[in-house]
Amino acid sequence: MTEDMTGVPYEPGSQWYDQEAGPLVRPYAMTGGRTKPGPTGVRFDLIALVTLDAGAPGFDDDTGLGPEHRALIDLCRAETQSVAELAAGADLPLGVVRVLLGDLLELGCVTVSRPVPPAQLPDERILREVIEGLRAL
């Protein structure tokens, strides 16, 4: 038995991760080292809704899309999902999903519906008055 650089013993030739973990791919390898979603600087909120664009180009093997891109497309094909749901469904880190969605947005594969900013939502007082008015009917 030998030791690694940190002094932890290990058996040469043994795998350093368990079988259930599957192959290990670092997030920077999936995004090509990028941390921001595309040159457009689009910000993907956790609750932003992502829909597969009906006019999206075909997804054949020579589009340059990786398996992670295709996984996101497959998830969006079934139904519109939030960025958080896509990250969970694809089992990818949120930062990676944001970068990959930026790629898909630039290619015209997906559309993103931004959440309504809190400043544009109706005031709670107004909603309560409407409810009271409806109850009075």
Side-chain angles (χ1 to χ4, degrees), residues 34-59:
R34 297 169 296 145
T35 58
K36 304 269 189 249
T40 57
V42 176
R43 190 167 166 260
F44 294 99
D45 293 318
L46 288 174
I47 58 174
L49 297 176
V50 181
T51 307
L52 189 64
D53 192 349
F59 304 115

PDB file of all heavy atoms in Angstrom, residues 34-59:
ATOM      1  N   ARG A  34     -15.967  27.731 -18.950  1.00  0.00           N
ATOM      2  CA  ARG A  34     -16.763  28.962 -18.811  1.00  0.00           C
ATOM      3  C   ARG A  34     -17.573  28.937 -17.525  1.00  0.00           C
ATOM      4  O   ARG A  34     -18.009  27.895 -17.076  1.00  0.00           O
ATOM      5  CB  ARG A  34     -17.707  29.129 -20.003  1.00  0.00           C
ATOM      6  CG  ARG A  34     -16.952  29.277 -21.315  1.00  0.00           C
ATOM      7  CD  ARG A  34     -17.865  29.182 -22.498  1.00  0.00           C
ATOM      8  NE  ARG A  34     -18.453  27.837 -22.533  1.00  0.00           N
ATOM      9  CZ  ARG A  34     -19.678  27.583 -22.946  1.00  0.00           C
ATOM     10  NH1 ARG A  34     -20.458  28.541 -23.372  1.00  0.00           N
ATOM     11  NH2 ARG A  34     -20.144  26.352 -22.969  1.00  0.00           N
ATOM     12  N   THR A  35     -17.782  30.114 -16.957  1.00  0.00           N
ATOM     13  CA  THR A  35     -18.592  30.219 -15.748  1.00  0.00           C
ATOM     14  C   THR A  35     -19.787  31.135 -15.941  1.00  0.00           C
ATOM     15  O   THR A  35     -20.666  31.178 -15.105  1.00  0.00           O
ATOM     16  CB  THR A  35     -17.764  30.759 -14.571  1.00  0.00           C
ATOM     17  OG1 THR A  35     -17.225  32.034 -14.922  1.00  0.00           O
ATOM     18  CG2 THR A  35     -16.639  29.804 -14.219  1.00  0.00           C
ATOM     19  N   LYS A  36     -19.828  31.869 -17.033  1.00  0.00           N
ATOM     20  CA  LYS A  36     -20.937  32.779 -17.326  1.00  0.00           C
ATOM     21  C   LYS A  36     -21.689  32.272 -18.551  1.00  0.00           C
ATOM     22  O   LYS A  36     -21.090  31.779 -19.493  1.00  0.00           O
ATOM     23  CB  LYS A  36     -20.420  34.190 -17.609  1.00  0.00           C
ATOM     24  CG  LYS A  36     -19.581  34.768 -16.496  1.00  0.00           C
ATOM     25  CD  LYS A  36     -20.440  35.522 -15.534  1.00  0.00           C
ATOM     26  CE  LYS A  36     -19.601  36.283 -14.558  1.00  0.00           C
ATOM     27  NZ  LYS A  36     -19.632  35.820 -13.218  1.00  0.00           N
ATOM     28  N   PRO A  37     -23.029  32.424 -18.569  1.00  0.00           N
ATOM     29  CA  PRO A  37     -23.816  31.934 -19.705  1.00  0.00           C
ATOM     30  C   PRO A  37     -23.729  32.832 -20.923  1.00  0.00           C
ATOM     31  O   PRO A  37     -24.477  33.791 -21.056  1.00  0.00           O
ATOM     32  CB  PRO A  37     -25.241  31.873 -19.160  1.00  0.00           C
ATOM     33  CG  PRO A  37     -25.261  32.817 -18.025  1.00  0.00           C
ATOM     34  CD  PRO A  37     -23.869  32.883 -17.485  1.00  0.00           C
ATOM     35  N   GLY A  38     -22.815  32.536 -21.807  1.00  0.00           N
ATOM     36  CA  GLY A  38     -22.727  33.196 -23.108  1.00  0.00           C
ATOM     37  C   GLY A  38     -22.346  34.659 -23.075  1.00  0.00           C
ATOM     38  O   GLY A  38     -22.357  35.297 -22.031  1.00  0.00           O
ATOM     39  N   PRO A  39     -22.017  35.198 -24.253  1.00  0.00           N
ATOM     40  CA  PRO A  39     -21.616  36.609 -24.344  1.00  0.00           C
ATOM     41  C   PRO A  39     -22.778  37.576 -24.132  1.00  0.00           C
ATOM     42  O   PRO A  39     -22.568  38.751 -23.895  1.00  0.00           O
ATOM     43  CB  PRO A  39     -21.059  36.736 -25.765  1.00  0.00           C
ATOM     44  CG  PRO A  39     -21.653  35.605 -26.521  1.00  0.00           C
ATOM     45  CD  PRO A  39     -21.924  34.517 -25.529  1.00  0.00           C
ATOM     46  N   THR A  40     -24.017  37.076 -24.172  1.00  0.00           N
ATOM     47  CA  THR A  40     -25.157  37.965 -23.988  1.00  0.00           C
ATOM     48  C   THR A  40     -25.314  38.376 -22.532  1.00  0.00           C
ATOM     49  O   THR A  40     -26.011  39.332 -22.237  1.00  0.00           O
ATOM     50  CB  THR A  40     -26.466  37.287 -24.454  1.00  0.00           C
ATOM     51  OG1 THR A  40     -26.621  36.061 -23.738  1.00  0.00           O
ATOM     52  CG2 THR A  40     -26.436  37.019 -25.945  1.00  0.00           C
ATOM     53  N   GLY A  41     -24.668  37.661 -21.612  1.00  0.00           N
ATOM     54  CA  GLY A  41     -24.752  37.981 -20.201  1.00  0.00           C
ATOM     55  C   GLY A  41     -26.118  37.719 -19.604  1.00  0.00           C
ATOM     56  O   GLY A  41     -26.516  38.351 -18.633  1.00  0.00           O
ATOM     57  N   VAL A  42     -26.846  36.781 -20.164  1.00  0.00           N
ATOM     58  CA  VAL A  42     -28.172  36.443 -19.677  1.00  0.00           C
ATOM     59  C   VAL A  42     -28.041  35.869 -18.269  1.00  0.00           C
ATOM     60  O   VAL A  42     -27.137  35.096 -17.986  1.00  0.00           O
ATOM     61  CB  VAL A  42     -28.843  35.402 -20.604  1.00  0.00           C
ATOM     62  CG1 VAL A  42     -30.175  34.961 -20.058  1.00  0.00           C
ATOM     63  CG2 VAL A  42     -28.998  35.971 -21.990  1.00  0.00           C
ATOM     64  N   ARG A  43     -28.947  36.270 -17.400  1.00  0.00           N
ATOM     65  CA  ARG A  43     -28.957  35.750 -16.034  1.00  0.00           C
ATOM     66  C   ARG A  43     -30.157  34.819 -15.892  1.00  0.00           C
ATOM     67  O   ARG A  43     -31.286  35.223 -16.126  1.00  0.00           O
ATOM     68  CB  ARG A  43     -29.062  36.902 -15.044  1.00  0.00           C
ATOM     69  CG  ARG A  43     -28.843  36.469 -13.636  1.00  0.00           C
ATOM     70  CD  ARG A  43     -28.639  37.668 -12.729  1.00  0.00           C
ATOM     71  NE  ARG A  43     -28.774  37.226 -11.367  1.00  0.00           N
ATOM     72  CZ  ARG A  43     -29.868  37.376 -10.640  1.00  0.00           C
ATOM     73  NH1 ARG A  43     -30.907  38.007 -11.137  1.00  0.00           N
ATOM     74  NH2 ARG A  43     -29.923  36.925  -9.423  1.00  0.00           N
ATOM     75  N   PHE A  44     -29.889  33.585 -15.533  1.00  0.00           N
ATOM     76  CA  PHE A  44     -30.951  32.594 -15.375  1.00  0.00           C
ATOM     77  C   PHE A  44     -31.306  32.476 -13.900  1.00  0.00           C
ATOM     78  O   PHE A  44     -30.557  31.894 -13.125  1.00  0.00           O
ATOM     79  CB  PHE A  44     -30.511  31.231 -15.920  1.00  0.00           C
ATOM     80  CG  PHE A  44     -30.304  31.213 -17.396  1.00  0.00           C
ATOM     81  CD1 PHE A  44     -29.044  31.325 -17.937  1.00  0.00           C
ATOM     82  CD2 PHE A  44     -31.381  31.085 -18.245  1.00  0.00           C
ATOM     83  CE1 PHE A  44     -28.859  31.307 -19.305  1.00  0.00           C
ATOM     84  CE2 PHE A  44     -31.205  31.063 -19.627  1.00  0.00           C
ATOM     85  CZ  PHE A  44     -29.938  31.184 -20.150  1.00  0.00           C
ATOM     86  N   ASP A  45     -32.462  33.029 -13.507  1.00  0.00           N
ATOM     87  CA  ASP A  45     -32.948  32.879 -12.144  1.00  0.00           C
ATOM     88  C   ASP A  45     -33.362  31.428 -11.924  1.00  0.00           C
ATOM     89  O   ASP A  45     -33.705  30.720 -12.867  1.00  0.00           O
ATOM     90  CB  ASP A  45     -34.154  33.786 -11.891  1.00  0.00           C
ATOM     91  CG  ASP A  45     -33.779  35.258 -11.923  1.00  0.00           C
ATOM     92  OD1 ASP A  45     -32.721  35.590 -11.373  1.00  0.00           O
ATOM     93  OD2 ASP A  45     -34.543  36.048 -12.497  1.00  0.00           O
ATOM     94  N   LEU A  46     -33.383  31.011 -10.671  1.00  0.00           N
ATOM     95  CA  LEU A  46     -33.783  29.640 -10.357  1.00  0.00           C
ATOM     96  C   LEU A  46     -35.193  29.324 -10.829  1.00  0.00           C
ATOM     97  O   LEU A  46     -35.489  28.203 -11.228  1.00  0.00           O
ATOM     98  CB  LEU A  46     -33.716  29.399  -8.843  1.00  0.00           C
ATOM     99  CG  LEU A  46     -32.325  29.305  -8.245  1.00  0.00           C
ATOM    100  CD1 LEU A  46     -32.419  29.208  -6.727  1.00  0.00           C
ATOM    101  CD2 LEU A  46     -31.579  28.124  -8.805  1.00  0.00           C
ATOM    102  N   ILE A  47     -36.067  30.329 -10.813  1.00  0.00           N
ATOM    103  CA  ILE A  47     -37.466  30.085 -11.174  1.00  0.00           C
ATOM    104  C   ILE A  47     -37.794  30.501 -12.605  1.00  0.00           C
ATOM    105  O   ILE A  47     -38.952  30.441 -13.008  1.00  0.00           O
ATOM    106  CB  ILE A  47     -38.416  30.778 -10.184  1.00  0.00           C
ATOM    107  CG1 ILE A  47     -38.151  32.281 -10.148  1.00  0.00           C
ATOM    108  CG2 ILE A  47     -38.308  30.159  -8.811  1.00  0.00           C
ATOM    109  CD1 ILE A  47     -39.156  33.051  -9.308  1.00  0.00           C
ATOM    110  N   ALA A  48     -36.782  30.902 -13.378  1.00  0.00           N
ATOM    111  CA  ALA A  48     -37.018  31.220 -14.789  1.00  0.00           C
ATOM    112  C   ALA A  48     -37.470  29.942 -15.497  1.00  0.00           C
ATOM    113  O   ALA A  48     -36.931  28.864 -15.269  1.00  0.00           O
ATOM    114  CB  ALA A  48     -35.754  31.776 -15.432  1.00  0.00           C
ATOM    115  N   LEU A  49     -38.478  30.079 -16.354  1.00  0.00           N
ATOM    116  CA  LEU A  49     -39.027  28.915 -17.055  1.00  0.00           C
ATOM    117  C   LEU A  49     -38.381  28.739 -18.415  1.00  0.00           C
ATOM    118  O   LEU A  49     -38.287  29.689 -19.192  1.00  0.00           O
ATOM    119  CB  LEU A  49     -40.539  29.062 -17.189  1.00  0.00           C
ATOM    120  CG  LEU A  49     -41.304  29.108 -15.866  1.00  0.00           C
ATOM    121  CD1 LEU A  49     -42.785  29.352 -16.107  1.00  0.00           C
ATOM    122  CD2 LEU A  49     -41.091  27.827 -15.084  1.00  0.00           C
ATOM    123  N   VAL A  50     -37.966  27.530 -18.703  1.00  0.00           N
ATOM    124  CA  VAL A  50     -37.273  27.209 -19.952  1.00  0.00           C
ATOM    125  C   VAL A  50     -38.174  26.305 -20.776  1.00  0.00           C
ATOM    126  O   VAL A  50     -38.657  25.283 -20.304  1.00  0.00           O
ATOM    127  CB  VAL A  50     -35.930  26.507 -19.672  1.00  0.00           C
ATOM    128  CG1 VAL A  50     -35.201  26.208 -20.970  1.00  0.00           C
ATOM    129  CG2 VAL A  50     -35.065  27.351 -18.748  1.00  0.00           C
ATOM    130  N   THR A  51     -38.406  26.701 -22.041  1.00  0.00           N
ATOM    131  CA  THR A  51     -39.258  25.952 -22.953  1.00  0.00           C
ATOM    132  C   THR A  51     -38.466  25.630 -24.210  1.00  0.00           C
ATOM    133  O   THR A  51     -37.713  26.478 -24.706  1.00  0.00           O
ATOM    134  CB  THR A  51     -40.490  26.798 -23.340  1.00  0.00           C
ATOM    135  OG1 THR A  51     -41.126  27.247 -22.154  1.00  0.00           O
ATOM    136  CG2 THR A  51     -41.463  26.006 -24.177  1.00  0.00           C
ATOM    137  N   LEU A  52     -38.654  24.444 -24.734  1.00  0.00           N
ATOM    138  CA  LEU A  52     -38.032  24.082 -26.010  1.00  0.00           C
ATOM    139  C   LEU A  52     -38.705  24.891 -27.104  1.00  0.00           C
ATOM    140  O   LEU A  52     -39.932  24.920 -27.200  1.00  0.00           O
ATOM    141  CB  LEU A  52     -38.187  22.583 -26.262  1.00  0.00           C
ATOM    142  CG  LEU A  52     -37.411  22.022 -27.442  1.00  0.00           C
ATOM    143  CD1 LEU A  52     -35.913  22.160 -27.208  1.00  0.00           C
ATOM    144  CD2 LEU A  52     -37.759  20.563 -27.640  1.00  0.00           C
ATOM    145  N   ASP A  53     -37.932  25.589 -27.905  1.00  0.00           N
ATOM    146  CA  ASP A  53     -38.469  26.441 -28.968  1.00  0.00           C
ATOM    147  C   ASP A  53     -38.999  25.572 -30.098  1.00  0.00           C
ATOM    148  O   ASP A  53     -38.330  24.655 -30.562  1.00  0.00           O
ATOM    149  CB  ASP A  53     -37.379  27.376 -29.479  1.00  0.00           C
ATOM    150  CG  ASP A  53     -37.909  28.477 -30.367  1.00  0.00           C
ATOM    151  OD1 ASP A  53     -39.087  28.415 -30.773  1.00  0.00           O
ATOM    152  OD2 ASP A  53     -37.157  29.413 -30.662  1.00  0.00           O
ATOM    153  N   ALA A  54     -40.223  25.869 -30.527  1.00  0.00           N
ATOM    154  CA  ALA A  54     -40.851  25.086 -31.601  1.00  0.00           C
ATOM    155  C   ALA A  54     -40.054  25.194 -32.901  1.00  0.00           C
ATOM    156  O   ALA A  54     -39.995  24.250 -33.683  1.00  0.00           O
ATOM    157  CB  ALA A  54     -42.282  25.548 -31.823  1.00  0.00           C
ATOM    158  N   GLY A  55     -39.430  26.330 -33.133  1.00  0.00           N
ATOM    159  CA  GLY A  55     -38.648  26.527 -34.350  1.00  0.00           C
ATOM    160  C   GLY A  55     -37.181  26.202 -34.174  1.00  0.00           C
ATOM    161  O   GLY A  55     -36.339  26.667 -34.929  1.00  0.00           O
ATOM    162  N   ALA A  56     -36.859  25.404 -33.169  1.00  0.00           N
ATOM    163  CA  ALA A  56     -35.466  25.065 -32.892  1.00  0.00           C
ATOM    164  C   ALA A  56     -34.872  24.248 -34.031  1.00  0.00           C
ATOM    165  O   ALA A  56     -35.568  23.456 -34.665  1.00  0.00           O
ATOM    166  CB  ALA A  56     -35.368  24.282 -31.585  1.00  0.00           C
ATOM    167  N   PRO A  57     -33.584  24.457 -34.299  1.00  0.00           N
ATOM    168  CA  PRO A  57     -32.931  23.662 -35.345  1.00  0.00           C
ATOM    169  C   PRO A  57     -32.897  22.189 -34.957  1.00  0.00           C
ATOM    170  O   PRO A  57     -33.060  21.838 -33.789  1.00  0.00           O
ATOM    171  CB  PRO A  57     -31.512  24.242 -35.407  1.00  0.00           C
ATOM    172  CG  PRO A  57     -31.303  24.914 -34.099  1.00  0.00           C
ATOM    173  CD  PRO A  57     -32.660  25.355 -33.620  1.00  0.00           C
ATOM    174  N   GLY A  58     -32.655  21.326 -35.932  1.00  0.00           N
ATOM    175  CA  GLY A  58     -32.571  19.889 -35.672  1.00  0.00           C
ATOM    176  C   GLY A  58     -31.408  19.569 -34.756  1.00  0.00           C
ATOM    177  O   GLY A  58     -30.434  20.312 -34.687  1.00  0.00           O
ATOM    178  N   PHE A  59     -31.509  18.471 -34.062  1.00  0.00           N
ATOM    179  CA  PHE A  59     -30.485  18.102 -33.087  1.00  0.00           C
ATOM    180  C   PHE A  59     -29.741  16.855 -33.532  1.00  0.00           C
ATOM    181  O   PHE A  59     -29.707  15.858 -32.832  1.00  0.00           O
ATOM    182  CB  PHE A  59     -31.123  17.870 -31.710  1.00  0.00           C
ATOM    183  CG  PHE A  59     -31.908  19.043 -31.232  1.00  0.00           C
ATOM    184  CD1 PHE A  59     -33.276  18.956 -31.065  1.00  0.00           C
ATOM    185  CD2 PHE A  59     -31.286  20.238 -30.959  1.00  0.00           C
ATOM    186  CE1 PHE A  59     -34.003  20.030 -30.619  1.00  0.00           C
ATOM    187  CE2 PHE A  59     -32.009  21.327 -30.511  1.00  0.00           C
ATOM    188  CZ  PHE A  59     -33.361  21.223 -30.344  1.00  0.00           C
TER     189      PHE A  59
END
